[in-house]
Amino acid sequence: MPADQMPRIIAHRGASGNAPENTLAAIQMAADHGAKWIEIDVNISRDGVPVLFHDDGLNRCSNGSGLVIEHSVSTLQSLDAGSWFDKAFTGERIPTLEECLQLAIRLDLGVNLEIKPCSGWELPTTDAIADLLQQKTELPPIVVSSFSHVAMQQAAKRLPEIPRSCLYLVAPPDWQELTGEVGASNIHLHANSLLDNKKVDTYHAQGLGVFCYTVNTAKEAVKLFSIGVDGVFTNYPKDLLQASV
Ligand code: G3P
Ligand code: MG
């Protein structure tokens, strides 16, 4: 079960502290830095193609403008998604999910696929991702997550064989019902989410793995591991792996 295989250190948006987030360069760098799993954010283009991008809007992480959902995949892939980060990455493209999965297979990486729909697009986004995954004859190990419960319900329906993680800033009061309803294997929480060892024990007692984002120092990772957290998402996988946390 891939959820059990998720390691302690996961490269958040690829090695996004050292390369432009959610690009093939960041994924390649995560592998070069020794990461075994990556986390990526997946939205869809106007023509329904799953692409890697964190924000609804294009302006922060590309030279485009407007919303991801407003543009065709060919337009999205004509944008520069690298130079905003560093001139050395000029010309880096917004990858399709398919390109990402191919690279993950080649690099032997597991993938935490975060469904990141624009508001109101939860079902079409999850369906487009499910359609793609169902077409593929080979996939890397995948765990699907989302802040959107609608997306998680649809993932459970469309991709029952792919493990799921419920993703929250802070676990809501009805976390038990919500994680149970979608058959979640894990709960992914913000690193500052009022977590202590009793809460971690409670999640574990429900059979849930506990993972925290975004943890960029060894000190913080050590603290979270000391209360029983199973893994952390970091923009700097090299630093945390070198620190042997
Ligand atoms: O999946 C963990 C984390 O990526 C969730 O927050 O905003 O960085 O996608 P965000
Ligand atoms: Mg994410």
Side-chain angles (χ1 to χ4, degrees):
M1 186 79 152
D4 298 336
Q5 297 164 21
M6 277 174 67
R8 280 155 70 89
I9 310 293
I10 299 160
H12 182 243
R13 312 180 192 175
S16 61
N18 301 106
E21 64 184 58
N22 286 311
T23 63
L24 298 184
I27 294 168
Q28 179 69 56
M29 196 171 289
D32 292 346
H33 287 180
K36 299 296 177 203
W37 274 63
I38 53 168
E39 184 263 4
I40 52 162
D41 304 295
V42 182
N43 200 338
I44 54 168
S45 63
R46 187 181 69 203
D47 42 349
V49 178
V51 295
L52 273 56
F53 213 78
H54 177 274
D55 302 353
D56 288 358
L58 287 161
N59 63 315
R60 183 178 64 88
C61 293
S62 81
N63 63 345
S65 59
L67 303 176
V68 173
I69 192 69
E70 292 174 329
H71 298 283
S72 67
V73 70
S74 63
T75 301
L76 293 174
Q77 291 212 292
S78 72
L79 299 174
D80 177 351
S83 57
W84 70 272
F85 184 85
D86 189 299
K87 276 191 190 124
F89 294 98
T90 300
E92 197 62 32
R93 301 291 168 212
I94 295 174
T96 62
L97 175 59
E98 185 161 22
E99 290 169 337
C100 164
L101 295 174
Q102 276 166 6
L103 183 59
I105 290 168
R106 191 162 66 72
L107 299 174
D108 205 16
L109 289 168
V111 177
N112 174 202
L113 190 171
E114 184 190 336
I115 305 170
K116 202 75 159 177
C118 285
S119 180
W121 287 80
E122 292 81 3
L123 289 177
T125 304
T126 308
D127 281 338
I129 292 167
D131 289 346
L132 175 69
L133 298 189
Q134 285 171 345
Q135 280 162 23
K136 304 299 289 179
T137 51
E138 189 186 5
L139 289 172
I142 296 178
V143 172
V144 167
S145 64
S146 187
F147 286 107
S148 161
H149 192 63
V150 170
M152 292 305 297
Q153 286 173 315
Q154 190 69 354
K157 194 166 136 193
R158 292 286 317 271
L159 299 164
E161 70 290 354
I162 296 198
R164 292 168 292 286
S165 301
C166 284
L167 174 56
Y168 306 110
L169 193 59
V170 176
D174 54 348
W175 65 268
Q176 206 166 337
E177 191 185 329
L178 295 173
T179 55
E181 192 186 315
V182 301
S185 303
N186 293 334
I187 188 164
H188 296 178
L189 302 167
H190 192 275
N192 300 331
S193 66
L194 315 171
L195 204 54
D196 58 26
N197 60 328
K198 277 193 184 156
K199 289 218 173 89
V200 175
D201 288 350
T202 309
Y203 300 136
H204 282 162
Q206 285 296 311
L208 296 167
V210 184
F211 291 76
C212 288
Y213 63 93
T214 306
V215 178
N216 286 334
T217 66
K219 191 177 166 193
E220 198 182 2
V222 166
K223 194 172 151 205
L224 289 164
F225 291 138
S226 77
I227 61 167
V229 166
D230 298 292
V232 297
F233 300 96
T234 181
N235 299 344
Y236 300 94
K238 188 181 189 178
D239 293 358
L240 266 59
L241 287 163
Q242 276 180 354
S244 301
V245 289

